[in-house]
């Protein structure tokens, strides 16, 4: 179920789907995804598919985690990354092994509490958590070299654009909830922002307001 062979099959599939960053692939290979799903779904943990984690949320498909991480790191190493949507903590755990510091915001407290426990279990200590509204980001600690958003917004929140450092990169799905959305890469340049559409995706909606 969680054998090395099963993990290697997942890595092979990610390579076939176009993931080429060796650091990202190595981190996904060694990170125990089965710890981030309910025990009843652990036998499916290394399938390349999104899985439910309760509260109408999902753990993202491994390809999407790898793809978004790779896009974030495309221009080189990052020191300070803001994650919007801690969820299960799986994407958080992947990022924590790829960048210097991760600042993760989640509106559903019970999900974030579970994610914190999992990261402690994995001895990942370079993550700081905030329970709050992801649409607001984390302005007190801005700016960030990278921002990754794991829920879809109808448009890019201005607060997140404001918190991106010069040269910083944001990967975010944009579009209507429940329909096909577009994954976007936004880079803060000297005189504004460049935007690149990367393809169709489907994410749960980015909602306002914290939820205990």
């Amino acid at each position: 179920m969680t054998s090395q062979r099963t993990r290697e099959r997942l890595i092979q599939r990610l390579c076939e789907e176009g993931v080429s960053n060796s650091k990202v692939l190595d981190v996904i290979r060694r990170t125990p995804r089965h710890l981030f799903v309910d025990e009843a779904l652990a036998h499916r943990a290394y399938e390349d598919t999104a899985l439910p984690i309760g509260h109408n949320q999902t753990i993202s498909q491994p390809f999407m985690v790898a793809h978004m991480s790779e896009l974030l790191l495309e221009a080189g190493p990052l020191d300070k990354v803001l994650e919007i949507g801690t969820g299960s903590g799986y994407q958080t755990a992947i990022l924590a092994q790829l960048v210097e510091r991760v600042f993760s915001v989640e509106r559903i407290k019970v999900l974030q509490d579970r994610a914190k426990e999992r990261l402690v279990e994995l001895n990942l200590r370079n993550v700081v958590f905030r329970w709050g509204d992801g649409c607001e980001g984390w302005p007190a600690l801005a700016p960030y070299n990278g921002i990754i958003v794991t829920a879809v917004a109808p448009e890019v929140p201005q607060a997140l654009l404001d918190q991106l450092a010069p040269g910083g990169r944001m990967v975010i799905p944009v579009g209507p909830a429940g329909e096909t959305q577009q994954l976007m890469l936004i880079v803060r340049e000297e005189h504004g922002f460049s935007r690149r559409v990367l393809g169709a995706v489907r994410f749960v909606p980015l909602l306002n307001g914290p939820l205990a």
Side-chain angles (χ1 to χ4, degrees), residues 29-162:
R29 178 184 282 113
R30 66 173 181 255
T31 302
R33 190 171 185 249
H34 62 277
L35 295 184
F36 295 86
V37 299
D38 289 341
E39 209 172 324
L41 292 171
H43 65 289
R44 299 189 61 196
Y46 298 97
E47 295 176 13
D48 188 24
T49 187
L51 295 168
I53 57 171
H55 304 273
N56 295 315
Q57 304 297 302
T58 59
I59 179 173
S60 291
Q61 175 191 9
F63 168 74
M64 195 52 59
V65 171
H67 184 47
M68 291 175 77
S69 301
E70 187 173 59
L71 287 165
L72 208 61
L73 294 165
E74 207 170 37
L78 295 176
D79 164 48
K80 192 175 173 186
V81 170
L82 174 66
E83 178 190 39
I84 303 299
T86 313
S88 69
Y90 179 65
Q91 173 78 77
T92 322
I94 299 299
L95 284 174
Q97 298 170 80
L98 292 166
V99 307
E100 289 292 322
R101 293 174 291 166
V102 180
F103 300 85
S104 189
V105 180
E106 171 60 57
R107 66 183 288 269
I108 302 172
K109 192 169 189 303
V110 65
L111 286 182
Q112 194 170 65
D113 287 345
R114 279 189 218 140
K116 282 183 190 177
E117 291 170 8
R118 289 164 179 149
L119 266 66
V120 167
E121 192 177 339
L122 294 173
N123 199 32
L124 296 171
R125 308 282 180 177
N126 58 335
V127 181
V128 185
F129 295 93
R130 177 177 183 237
W131 173 48
D133 189 333
C135 298
E136 297 172 0
W138 198 338
L141 299 179
Y144 304 94
N145 307 115
I147 297 177
I148 190 166
V149 184
T150 60
V152 68
E155 56 189 37
V156 182
Q158 185 61 45
L160 299 184
L161 292 171
D162 292 344

Side-chain angles (χ1 to χ4, degrees), residues 2-10:
T2 60
S3 70
Q4 196 58 40
R5 194 173 64 220
T6 309
R7 297 190 196 194
E8 287 300 335
R9 273 203 300 268
L10 173 61

